[in-house]
Amino acid sequence: MSKSIFYHAGCPVCVSAEHDILELVGSENVEVVHLGEDTSRIPEAETTGVQSVPALVTPNGNALHINFGASMADLKA
Amino acid sequence: MSKSIFYHAGCPVCVSAEHDILELVGSENVEVVHLGEDTSRIPEAETTGVQSVPALVTPNGNALHINFGASMADLKA
């Protein structure tokens, strides 16, 4: 299977989603790209349909935008 | 690993996301729930933090809301 690409920007919500995605899909199957640090890859992300982060681009080219809602526990922390 | 639960409502966007998720995570690791047909499970979904579909609730209880943007190809079809 080709790799998926997980685009994020380093925010806590992104990191939490990243942890879940890597665990579910398998870290060996996902390339993680930090668009805040590696801005040269933003055009590539846009080309594949990424409109917001965190997002997962699947091997078949679909951009899944992942919106991990903040949990109540996070809000209380 | 415990199963993830994928909640959807049967729309084309949901089905497309479902296909991707099942392929990535492995269909044996995901329970698929059609909230449009099985409305009795809506309270359970709400309790786990699902606010929109499609959504994936991970084994550790995080609700990832998945927003699969329609592709240009879909719009042209």
Side-chain angles (χ1 to χ4, degrees):
Chain A
M1 188 172 73
S2 302
K3 279 198 175 193
S4 301
I5 306 177
F6 181 80
Y7 293 100
H8 72 110
C11 62
V13 166
C14 290
V15 170
S16 175
E18 176 186 341
H19 181 83
D20 284 343
I21 293 291
L22 292 184
E23 197 163 298
L24 289 172
V25 181
S27 58
E28 72 278 12
N29 297 319
V30 184
E31 179 187 4
V32 176
V33 176
H34 188 319
L35 290 177
E37 292 176 348
D38 195 353
T39 54
S40 67
R41 298 196 59 177
I42 291 178
E44 161 206 305
E46 286 181 331
T47 299
T48 56
V50 172
Q51 296 175 1
S52 62
V53 287
L56 184 73
V57 176
T58 66
N60 57 12
N62 287 334
L64 301 173
H65 296 93
I66 298 164
N67 175 16
F68 172 73
S71 70
M72 291 301 109
D74 289 341
L75 295 175
K76 290 172 188 168
Chain B
M1 187 170 73
S2 301
K3 278 198 175 191
S4 300
I5 306 177
F6 181 80
Y7 293 101
H8 73 108
C11 62
V13 166
C14 291
V15 171
S16 176
E18 175 186 341
H19 180 82
D20 285 342
I21 292 291
L22 292 184
E23 197 162 299
L24 290 172
V25 180
S27 57
E28 71 279 11
N29 298 319
V30 184
E31 179 187 5
V32 177
V33 176
H34 189 319
L35 290 178
E37 293 177 347
D38 195 353
T39 53
S40 67
R41 297 195 60 177
I42 292 178
E44 161 207 306
E46 286 181 330
T47 300
T48 56
V50 172
Q51 295 174 1
S52 62
V53 288
L56 184 73
V57 176
T58 66
N60 57 13
N62 287 333
L64 300 174
H65 297 93
I66 298 164
N67 175 16
F68 172 73
S71 71
M72 290 303 107
D74 289 340
L75 295 175
K76 290 172 189 167

